[in-house]
Amino acid sequence: MIRKSEANDLPALTEEYALTKEQLAAYRDKGHIYLPGTASPEEIASYEPLIASLVRELNYHDKPVGERDTYGKAFIQIGNLWRRSEAVRRFVLARRFGKIAADLMGVDGVRIYHDQALFKEPGGGHTPWHQDQIYWPLDTMNTITMWMPLVPVTEEVGSMTFVNGSHKNGFLSREQISDESHRTFKSYIEGKKLETVTYGAMAAGDATFHAGWTLHSAPGNPTDRMREVMTIIYYADGTRAIEPDSVARQNDLKTWFPGTAPGEIAATELNPLVYSRSGTE
């Protein structure tokens, strides 16, 4: 395990990634964006082995891919890796990524909801259509997820597919990610003839960002290589928790905002401020 002093030798990820007015406008209109080179090849080469090693150590699956349900086939999902490793902490709490999130949402500061490694195994199944924010007990539209491959994602494996502008409609269904959510949203998309976009192949260190209400899915992994992806969820600083209206949100309130009551500011030790325009992070 890397000690704090050794983690300090890893790339700082503090240099800014400049966004154009056109990129900001496109994200706010479509609810998603592709940003090549969000992290450099050298930066990814430093962090990927450390993150991948931790995921292998914490992998909880005890059945072959073919014997799991749809959700289990989709990926190895490990959250809050930043709490388990000084090296991963440096990556997840990176100022560069936080500023991109704040700029895209047009807010003054962002906190971490949590990180998630989403490693899709060889032969892994598709990720059903879903909205992320049905899980999040937050009183805001200003939520965003960074999705960054740590290894090249080929056209054969593919990146995520998004429904343009779907974030503007907010809540669409209580369906959690499942076969049912896939059927429900697939019918919705086809019935309304909504436009979908996928960014195809991506290099390690490229990233997509999507809003919490943006409808999205991902294909399976037909290759013999692991699709290694790291995600980080951000929300606007100053956001308050809401009264949970589902078991999923009740669980998330307890898990990710321990001790926070509905109506209170959502800011615990699990939700550090990673970027602020006032420079107080």
Side-chain angles (χ1 to χ4, degrees), residues 148-199:
M148 177 182 287
L150 304 178
V151 295
V153 173
T154 65
E155 194 78 37
E156 186 180 11
V157 177
S159 52
M160 287 195 292
T161 300
F162 303 98
V163 177
N164 279 347
S166 53
H167 64 303
K168 297 176 183 177
N169 297 320
F171 170 85
L172 293 174
S173 170
R174 290 188 182 276
E175 293 293 345
Q176 298 180 39
I177 183 170
S178 62
D179 291 330
E180 186 58 36
S181 76
H182 195 73
R183 286 190 293 267
T184 297
F185 286 126
K186 186 173 184 290
S187 176
Y188 171 79
I189 293 163
E190 293 174 349
K192 292 187 173 294
K193 296 181 172 59
L194 301 179
E195 183 180 12
T196 62
V197 173
T198 182
Y199 296 108

Side-chain angles (χ1 to χ4, degrees), residues 80 82-83 89 92-93 111-115 233 235 252-259 266-274:
N80 261 14
W82 73 273
R83 300 274 290 180
R89 177 187 181 93
V92 171
L93 306 189
R111 292 183 177 273
I112 294 290
Y113 190 87
H114 60 74
D115 67 55
I233 303 166
Y235 63 94
D252 264 33
L253 184 63
K254 293 176 183 177
T255 301
W256 307 116
F257 303 106
T268 77
E269 64 174 7
L270 298 183
N271 321 111
L273 182 69
V274 295

Side-chain angles (χ1 to χ4, degrees), residues 18-252:
L19 296 170
T20 67
K21 291 181 180 179
E22 291 75 17
Q23 286 174 316
L24 296 175
Y27 170 78
R28 292 166 193 174
D29 178 51
K30 296 179 180 179
H32 58 89
I33 193 168
Y34 165 63
L35 299 179
T38 301
S40 72
E42 295 76 20
E43 290 166 338
I44 291 297
S46 295
Y47 284 103
E48 184 277 334
L50 306 172
I51 295 172
S53 176
L54 191 55
V55 171
R56 286 193 296 271
E57 176 187 336
L58 299 173
N59 182 11
Y60 51 88
H61 285 302
D62 58 3
K63 294 180 180 179
V65 171
E67 295 179 14
R68 304 176 202 159
D69 62 14
T70 298
Y71 195 88
K73 290 176 182 176
F75 33 59
I76 301 169
Q77 180 181 30
I78 310 289
N80 261 14
L81 291 179
W82 73 273
R83 300 274 290 180
R84 298 175 179 267
S85 161
E86 288 293 341
V88 181
R89 177 187 181 93
R90 192 173 176 88
F91 181 89
V92 171
L93 306 189
R95 186 178 189 276
R96 180 192 303 162
F97 305 154
K99 185 177 187 300
I100 292 172
D103 287 347
L104 289 172
M105 293 190 292
V107 300
D108 290 335
V110 293
R111 292 183 177 273
I112 294 290
Y113 190 87
H114 60 74
D115 67 55
Q116 283 186 324
L118 299 176
F119 281 33
K120 196 177 288 284
E121 298 155 280
H126 74 288
T127 305
W129 284 109
H130 66 284
Q131 292 179 297
D132 294 334
Q133 200 161 331
I134 62 162
Y135 295 95
W136 305 342
L138 295 172
D139 188 18
T140 183
M141 293 285 282
N142 287 319
T143 62
I144 193 169
T145 297
M146 182 183 83
W147 190 95
M148 177 182 287
L150 304 178
V151 295
V153 173
T154 65
E155 194 78 37
E156 186 180 11
V157 177
S159 52
M160 287 195 292
T161 300
F162 303 98
V163 177
N164 279 347
S166 53
H167 64 303
K168 297 176 183 177
N169 297 320
F171 170 85
L172 293 174
S173 170
R174 290 188 182 276
E175 293 293 345
Q176 298 180 39
I177 183 170
S178 62
D179 291 330
E180 186 58 36
S181 76
H182 195 73
R183 286 190 293 267
T184 297
F185 286 126
K186 186 173 184 290
S187 176
Y188 171 79
I189 293 163
E190 293 174 349
K192 292 187 173 294
K193 296 181 172 59
L194 301 179
E195 183 180 12
T196 62
V197 173
T198 182
Y199 296 108
M202 293 173 63
D206 291 352
T208 59
F209 286 76
H210 66 272
W213 288 120
T214 299
L215 266 173
H216 60 286
S217 66
N221 179 6
T223 74
D224 60 0
R225 296 184 179 182
M226 183 80 80
R227 189 214 70 181
E228 301 178 8
V229 167
M230 191 67 181
T231 67
I232 307 171
I233 303 166
Y234 304 89
Y235 63 94
D237 183 33
T239 296
R240 295 181 183 275
I242 60 172
E243 183 70 47
D245 55 1
S246 66
V247 172
R249 283 183 164 176
Q250 288 174 1
N251 291 337
D252 264 33

